[in-house]
Amino acid sequence: MFKSNSKTVFALVAISLIVVVMAACIPAAPVAAAGLANNNQLGGPGGGGRGAGSGSGGGAGAGSGISSTPLTNGEIDALQKAILEEYKAFNLYQVVLKQYTDAYPFNQIVRSEQQHITALVRQAQKYGVTVPANPGLNPEPKFTDMTAACKAGVTAETEDAALYDTLKTVTTHTDILRVYNNLQSASLKSHLIEFQTCD
C-alpha cells in the first residue's frame, strides 16, 4: 500500500515538473495590430491588449515588473511621445466614426490603435514611466466625405510611422524597440494601405 502511494506521488511530481518546464519554454505572445473589443474608450490603457516584452540587459521577467536596467531620459521621452501619437490617431478615428458610424476601415483600425496604446502603456508601466493623459482632439475635425476622412487616415499613419523612425534612434532597450517595430509595421503594412484604398 505504501509503495503504491509513493509511486503515485512520484508520478504526480514528475508530471508537474514537466508541465512547469514546458510552460517556461512557450514564448510570450508578440504585439500585433489585431482588434480589441473595447473601442469606446478615449485611448486609456485599455483592456485585452497583448503587448508583451522582456526586460533587456538581464531585466525582470517577460512583460511584467520593473526592468533592472532603467530607461534613459531620451527613452522615457520617446515612450511618452509614442503614447501621445497613438492617442492622436485613435482620437481621429473615433471622430470619423462619430460622423460616419461603422465606416470601414476606421471601425477596424480604431481597435488596433487601442491595442497600440495598450502595448505602449504596458512598457511604460514596466519601467515606471508616467503615462501621459489622452488630451483628446480639440477642436474635432469635420470631414466633408469619406474621401477626406481617408486622406486624414493616410496622413496620420504616415506621421505615426515616421515618428517611430525617430524614436528608435534614441532607444536601446530591445523590448521597447520590438514594440516600436511591430506598431510601425502595422501602420505601414496594414493601416496605411487600408486608408490609401478607402473612400
Side-chain angles (χ1 to χ4, degrees):
M1 182 72 169
F2 177 75
K3 286 183 179 180
S4 175
N5 285 340
S6 295
K7 287 181 181 178
T8 302
V9 169
F10 178 77
L12 289 174
V13 169
I15 290 169
S16 297
L17 287 173
I18 291 169
V19 169
V20 168
V21 169
M22 289 176 64
C25 293
I26 296 172
V31 174
L36 288 178
N38 185 1
N39 67 341
N40 293 322
Q41 298 179 10
L42 270 182
R50 295 179 55 185
S54 58
S56 65
S64 63
I66 303 290
S67 171
S68 63
T69 307
L71 301 183
T72 65
N73 288 337
E75 287 176 311
I76 291 169
D77 183 59
L79 187 52
Q80 291 173 328
K81 283 180 179 174
I83 293 169
L84 289 169
E85 179 67 22
E86 297 296 347
Y87 283 156
K88 186 171 78 172
F90 178 86
N91 294 339
L92 176 66
Y93 305 156
Q94 286 282 62
V95 168
V96 173
L97 290 170
K98 281 185 192 176
Q99 296 178 35
Y100 302 98
T101 307
D102 288 332
Y104 182 84
F106 293 93
N107 58 350
Q108 301 296 316
I109 294 176
V110 74
R111 294 177 188 153
S112 293
E113 294 300 333
Q114 178 64 66
Q115 186 169 359
H116 290 196
I117 293 164
T118 299
L120 291 167
V121 166
R122 285 183 176 172
Q123 292 298 314
Q125 291 171 339
K126 179 167 65 172
Y127 288 99
V129 173
T130 301
V131 176
N134 185 338
L137 286 182
N138 190 17
E140 290 186 354
K142 301 288 184 195
F143 299 102
T144 55
D145 53 29
M146 277 297 294
T147 300
C150 290
K151 285 181 181 176
V154 168
T155 300
E157 295 299 331
T158 302
E159 290 174 354
D160 192 59
L163 177 66
Y164 283 117
D165 278 337
T166 301
L167 302 184
K168 288 190 288 185
T169 65
V170 298
T171 304
T172 59
H173 283 71
T174 56
D175 50 346
I176 296 176
L177 283 170
R178 188 180 312 117
V179 174
Y180 289 172
N181 284 326
N182 287 333
L183 301 188
Q184 184 182 49
S185 178
S187 288
L188 291 174
K189 296 180 180 177
S190 177
H191 302 175
L192 180 59
I193 293 167
E194 292 282 353
F195 287 135
Q196 287 171 332
T197 57
C198 83
D199 57 20

